[in-house]
Amino acid sequence: MDENKPFDIVHRSLNKNVLIALKDGRFLRGKLIGYDTELNLSLEDAELFSDEIKKKLGVVVIRKNNVLSFTEEDTL
Amino acid sequence: MDENKPFDIVHRSLNKNVLIALKDGRFLRGKLIGYDTELNLSLEDAELFSDEIKKKLGVVVIRKNNVLSFTEEDTL
Amino acid sequence: MDENKPFDIVHRSLNKNVLIALKDGRFLRGKLIGYDTELNLSLEDAELFSDEIKKKLGVVVIRKNNVLSFTEEDTL
Amino acid sequence: MDENKPFDIVHRSLNKNVLIALKDGRFLRGKLIGYDTELNLSLEDAELFSDEIKKKLGVVVIRKNNVLSFTEEDTL
Amino acid sequence: MDENKPFDIVHRSLNKNVLIALKDGRFLRGKLIGYDTELNLSLEDAELFSDEIKKKLGVVVIRKNNVLSFTEEDTL
Amino acid sequence: MDENKPFDIVHRSLNKNVLIALKDGRFLRGKLIGYDTELNLSLEDAELFSDEIKKKLGVVVIRKNNVLSFTEEDTL
Amino acid sequence: MDENKPFDIVHRSLNKNVLIALKDGRFLRGKLIGYDTELNLSLEDAELFSDEIKKKLGVVVIRKNNVLSFTEEDTL
């Protein structure tokens, strides 16, 4: 189990494309280029989207308390 | 009582299918593959769903403060 | 007064049926089989319900910050 | 002033009927039978009500962060 | 500036009528009879009101995290 | 950069008119007469307003967690 | 990875134009002139906007818990 703890999965996802589900129902997609121990995340080529909108955000820092879930796109 | 404390139940559910009720009324279903002492959870083959939507999320990390309840599907 | 402090009442309710009012207006009913010092709760044969819905959840762990109130059904 | 600090008033209300205004606009009424230093409260013969609903809850524990205000009914 | 720090103003308002704006858009009015270092407040002859409702609450304790702002009525 | 850290800007605004954007979409305007290290703020001649309402609040203390942003009116 | 941790990206953005997505769906744009270790931010020539509104805010301090994401406009 150890290698599947939440932070192991985040660490394994570095330099990969990830999909972030936000608490408000929207999603962020981009390449994970950094994180810290509070689970603040850094993405590159990030895009904020929902059914209706799509907005490019470039290099982006996401504050931890907005994140519902985190997923590596390779596993989709 | 000791073996039924909240974390005992989460620990017993490792590698089993679990159903997570989220605060916003949606659900996540998947195989529990990890957790940490803050109750952040790791799922495999996760699916986010409500009455209207169903979205595959693959390997997913869920931040603790989104969780309403946690249940092992075998007990349903 | 001492034996009626909030945690005394939770402790006295072990292995009894309890009714949990959630912050979002819904209720959970089930047998209390465990708790921890943060007031995370473990229920058995749990059921999530509101006026419109009813959903069996089996053995369930409820995160503390979703709880509005806790009541022992014998006292109803 | 000292004897009117918030916790003095809660302590003076033990074994009296109190009215709890909840953050979501509803009210709880009952006899205060216990509290702790976090302002979790224990009520007896509690009733949850709003303009439309009224639901008996018996002996009830209320988690602190749902409370808007606390009042002793004798002072109404 | 020192005598105008937020807690200086609360302290100066003891035994005066105050108006509390709540986060949910409602107001509480009453005589400030106590407070603690967390900014929990005690009011006497308190009244909860909005455009539509008005409800007497007598001696009341208000939990800190419901307060938007605090004002001494003499300064209105 | 040092003299532009968030607290430097708040300190520089003492005795000046400031505009506070609140989280709920409303605004507060007034003269900043005090603050503490938690970013609780004291205003004089404060006014709470939105598109539809305008309410004088006199000397007012604002709890930190209601503040979205803080701006010195001279810089507008 | 180290130079892409969330705070590295914020630090690199000093004196550059940044776009702040707020939790409530609105955006702030301006020149980043300061920040602190809690991720409170100072902007110059800030503008608060959504689809419908646009409001100049001049020099502005943003409290950390309103921020959804932070992006350097050069990377858009």
Side-chain angles (χ1 to χ4, degrees), chain G residues 21-57:
Chain G
L22 299 173
K23 278 190 194 172
D24 62 8
R26 294 184 291 177
F27 291 87
L28 271 165
R29 180 189 287 133
K31 189 168 95 175
L32 183 72
I33 57 172
Y35 67 90
D36 63 26
T37 56
E38 300 285 301
L39 210 43
N40 295 305
L41 305 169
S42 312
L43 301 187
E44 200 178 72
D45 296 325
E47 220 175 32
L48 177 67
F49 65 98
S50 66
D51 285 353
E52 298 125 55
I53 61 151
K54 194 167 206 165
K55 188 172 175 64
K56 286 194 182 304
L57 290 177

Side-chain angles (χ1 to χ4, degrees), chain A residues 20-39:
Chain A
I20 313 292
L22 299 173
K23 278 190 194 173
D24 62 8
R26 294 184 291 177
F27 292 86
L28 270 164
R29 181 189 286 132
K31 189 168 95 174
L32 183 72
I33 56 171
Y35 67 90
D36 63 27
T37 57
E38 301 285 301
L39 210 43

